Amino acid sequence: MKRRGQYSSSSRRERQVRDQVSGAKAGRLNLTLKSTMESVAEVEAAAEKLAAEAGLNEDERFHLSMAAREAAVNAVLHGNEYDPAKQVLASFENTGAALVIRVADQGKGFDPASLPDPLAAENLLRGSGRGIFLIRSFVDELYIRQLHPGTELTLIKHLAPESISTPGTAALL
Amino acid sequence: MALTIASREVDGVVILDLSGRITLGEGSVQLREAIRGLIGKGEKKILLNMGNVDYIDSSGLGELVSAFTSAKNQQAEVKLLKLTRKVHDLLQLTKLYTVFDIKDDEAAAIASF
C-alpha cells in the first residue's frame, strides 16, 4: 500500500523533473505561436483566462486582455510582419503578487523613444500609433527590451491584496 | 464576435448599425470598405451606430479616425451614435472624444447634420 507521504514526494519530484525539462516555472504558461491573427486571438484569450483566474473584475480583465492583444498585434504585424518563418513567444504567469505577460517577436526591433505621442494635437488624426500607448495605460508596468533581433514586451499588472490567489499550474495549463 | 454592419437611411442620413468587434482582422477592414463605399456613392451624412460595439482595439480606433478624415476630404461627415461604456472610455483615453461628434439620441443625431 502506498503511503500518502510517498505519493506526495514522488509527485513533487516528477514536477521538478518536468519543470527542468520544459524550463517552465510552476504556474507559467508558455506559448510558441505563428505570426498570424489567430495567434493574436490566442494571446488575448490566455490573458483573459489569467486575469479571470486571478479574480480581477470585468474592467481589469478587459484592460489586461486588451493590453496583451495590442502586444501580440505589435509582434505579429510590426515585429514579424506576418513572416511565417518567424515566431511569437508569449508567456503568462501569476506570481502571486502580480500577473506577468511577456510577448516577444523575432523582428527587427524598434526604438520606443521614436514613437510619436498619440495624444499630441498633430497626431490625433493618425490612423495608427496607439498600441503601445494603450498597453501603458492598461498595465501597471511595461518593459520593452530589444532582443537583437526582436522585441520583448513585459506587461505587469499588480494584484491587490484581496485578489491575490495562489498560482497554480493546473489552472493555467 | 466579428463585426456585422446593417445599413439604413433616415431623412438623408445613412445609418450603419454596427454590431460586434472592430479590431484588426475582425472588423476594421469591413468598416473601411463600408465607409469607402458610401463616400464613393456620394453620401455626405454618415452616422455610425456603435450601440452594439462592445470591443474596439487600436486598429479599430485608427479605422474610425480614417473614416472621419476620408469623409471630411470629400466634404462628407461621419458622426458616432450611442457609444458603449468601454468604447466611450477608450475614446476619452485617446482624446478622440474631442475629434468626433458623438450623440446619444438617434433623432438628435440625424437632426444635427
Side-chain angles (χ1 to χ4, degrees), chain A residues 37 40 68-79, chain B residues 24 57-59:
Chain A
M37 288 310 298
V40 172
R69 179 189 168 81
E70 294 291 342
V73 166
N74 268 342
V76 168
L77 181 65
H78 303 301
Chain B
L24 184 69
D57 68 359
S58 64
S59 172

Side-chain angles (χ1 to χ4, degrees), chain B residues 53-78:
Chain B
V53 173
D54 52 13
Y55 195 104
I56 186 165
D57 68 359
S58 64
S59 172
L61 290 172
E63 216 49 63
L64 288 183
V65 172
S66 298
F68 176 84
T69 52
S70 303
K72 206 168 183 182
N73 290 339
Q74 300 298 318
Q75 289 75 50
E77 221 177 340
V78 170

Side-chain angles (χ1 to χ4, degrees), chain B residues 15-84:
Chain B
I15 303 172
L16 296 184
D17 294 308
L18 310 178
S19 182
R21 293 163 58 109
I22 308 176
T23 62
L24 184 69
E26 278 182 296
S28 57
V29 173
Q30 288 164 269
L31 180 60
R32 186 186 316 159
E33 286 173 354
I35 300 278
R36 274 187 189 165
L38 291 175
I39 293 172
K41 282 197 296 182
E43 298 291 351
K44 300 293 183 196
K45 302 172 182 177
I46 301 166
L47 183 60
L48 302 182
N49 180 2
M50 309 278 289
N52 289 314
V53 173
D54 52 13
Y55 195 104
I56 186 165
D57 68 359
S58 64
S59 172
L61 290 172
E63 216 49 63
L64 288 183
V65 172
S66 298
F68 176 84
T69 52
S70 303
K72 206 168 183 182
N73 290 339
Q74 300 298 318
Q75 289 75 50
E77 221 177 340
V78 170
K79 298 188 181 192
L80 305 182
L81 174 67
K82 292 180 188 166
L83 301 184
T84 56

Side-chain angles (χ1 to χ4, degrees), chain A residues 27-31 43 46-47 50 68 90-94 100-101 172:
Chain A
R28 182 159 142 182
L29 169 65
N30 292 309
L31 299 176
V43 168
L50 180 75
S91 70
F92 306 81
E93 182 177 16
N94 181 345
V100 180
I101 298 173
L172 285 168

Side-chain angles (χ1 to χ4, degrees), chain A residues 48-170:
Chain A
E48 165 71 31
K49 189 165 184 274
L50 180 75
E53 287 172 354
L56 299 190
N57 66 36
E58 190 194 340
D59 280 350
E60 291 171 325
R61 293 202 306 271
F62 168 66
H63 289 162
L64 189 69
S65 63
M66 185 168 196
R69 179 189 168 81
E70 294 291 342
V73 166
N74 268 342
V76 168
L77 181 65
H78 303 301
N80 291 351
E81 298 174 308
Y82 295 113
D83 185 342
K86 292 176 179 168
Q87 295 175 322
V88 174
L89 306 175
S91 70
F92 306 81
E93 182 177 16
N94 181 345
T95 68
L99 304 183
V100 180
I101 298 173
R102 289 189 175 85
V103 179
D105 62 58
Q106 298 172 327
K108 55 182 182 287
F110 72 98
D111 175 12
S114 69
L115 297 176
D117 174 9
L119 300 187
E122 67 271 22
N123 296 326
L124 272 187
L125 292 181
R126 286 172 64 110
S128 61
R130 296 178 179 85
I132 295 290
F133 168 78
L134 289 178
I135 297 171
R136 279 194 205 283
S137 301
F138 289 154
V139 296
D140 296 308
E141 297 174 60
L142 169 66
Y143 297 97
I144 301 173
R145 187 162 69 103
Q146 295 309 314
L147 304 176
H148 308 291
T151 304
E152 180 189 71
L153 268 55
T154 301
L155 288 56
I156 300 177
K157 168 74 183 167
H158 300 155
L159 293 174
E162 63 269 24
S163 65
I164 290 177
S165 58
T166 307
T169 310

